[in-house]
Amino acid sequence: MALLFAAGLTASPMMTAPAHAAYGPCNTTVKRADGYLASYTVPARTDNGTSCYMQYHTGSSNAVKTLQTSILRCYSGTYAADRIRATGGADGIYGTGTVDAVRWLQSMLGLSADGVYGPATRNAIKWLGYAQDVVNGGVYPYCDTHSF
């Protein structure tokens, strides 16, 4: 044991913390431009940009609600949207419905299906955006993946 301690190979909280913990929980949202007349909003962390995570009962209500709203609109008619709708809709709470929805999406997108929202999930899912219609006027919603 003394040899392990001397080599620095002891168990510590850093060694056992999940990888996503390095980002910190999403505590806000950020609006991003998507071309000339379009924008979308994603969960973010004040001091870390869009690299943040959310899991069961974590994340600010506006960050969670942004994720839930995108799932409801961009994945309408899927198990993910149905789970969120059945457990309170876009209520801003990362509860069991949101965990199940994220887990299902991750599985469908070929990601590790742990139900935790983080950078890999952020990059893979479709986000709800809004674009201005310069011909007819007004704004219309659209869903698309984005590079971060």
Side-chain angles (χ1 to χ4, degrees), residues 64-118:
V64 175
K65 191 171 185 174
T66 296
L67 173 64
Q68 292 168 328
T69 301
S70 283
I71 292 171
L72 287 168
R73 293 290 301 269
C74 299
Y75 296 94
S76 178
T78 66
Y79 174 80
D82 291 345
R83 267 311 272 148
I84 288 176
R85 199 173 296 105
T87 56
D91 60 4
I93 300 169
Y94 206 105
T96 57
T98 304
V99 170
D100 290 346
V102 170
R103 186 177 289 134
W104 184 86
L105 283 171
Q106 290 168 327
S107 176
M108 294 295 105
L109 296 168
L111 302 173
S112 175
D114 59 5
V116 176
Y117 168 89

Side-chain angles (χ1 to χ4, degrees), residues 2-137:
L3 184 57
L4 287 175
F5 184 72
L9 299 175
T10 59
S12 72
M14 268 320 237
M15 291 175 69
T16 59
H20 63 265
Y23 302 119
C26 303
N27 63 1
T28 190
T29 59
V30 65
K31 188 173 185 176
R32 292 289 190 88
D34 184 25
Y36 179 61
L37 297 171
S39 65
Y40 60 99
T41 303
V42 293
R45 181 152 179 86
T46 305
D47 60 349
N48 206 26
T50 59
S51 291
C52 60
Y53 78 94
M54 294 185 287
Q55 61 187 8
Y56 186 71
H57 284 249
T58 328
S60 68
S61 62
N62 64 334
V64 175
K65 191 171 185 174
T66 296
L67 173 64
Q68 292 168 328
T69 301
S70 283
I71 292 171
L72 287 168
R73 293 290 301 269
C74 299
Y75 296 94
S76 178
T78 66
Y79 174 80
D82 291 345
R83 267 311 272 148
I84 288 176
R85 199 173 296 105
T87 56
D91 60 4
I93 300 169
Y94 206 105
T96 57
T98 304
V99 170
D100 290 346
V102 170
R103 186 177 289 134
W104 184 86
L105 283 171
Q106 290 168 327
S107 176
M108 294 295 105
L109 296 168
L111 302 173
S112 175
D114 59 5
V116 176
Y117 168 89
T121 302
R122 177 201 64 217
N123 290 340
I125 68 172
K126 293 179 182 178
W127 290 100
L128 176 61
Y130 295 93
Q132 292 181 356
D133 185 339
V134 294
V135 175
N136 300 312

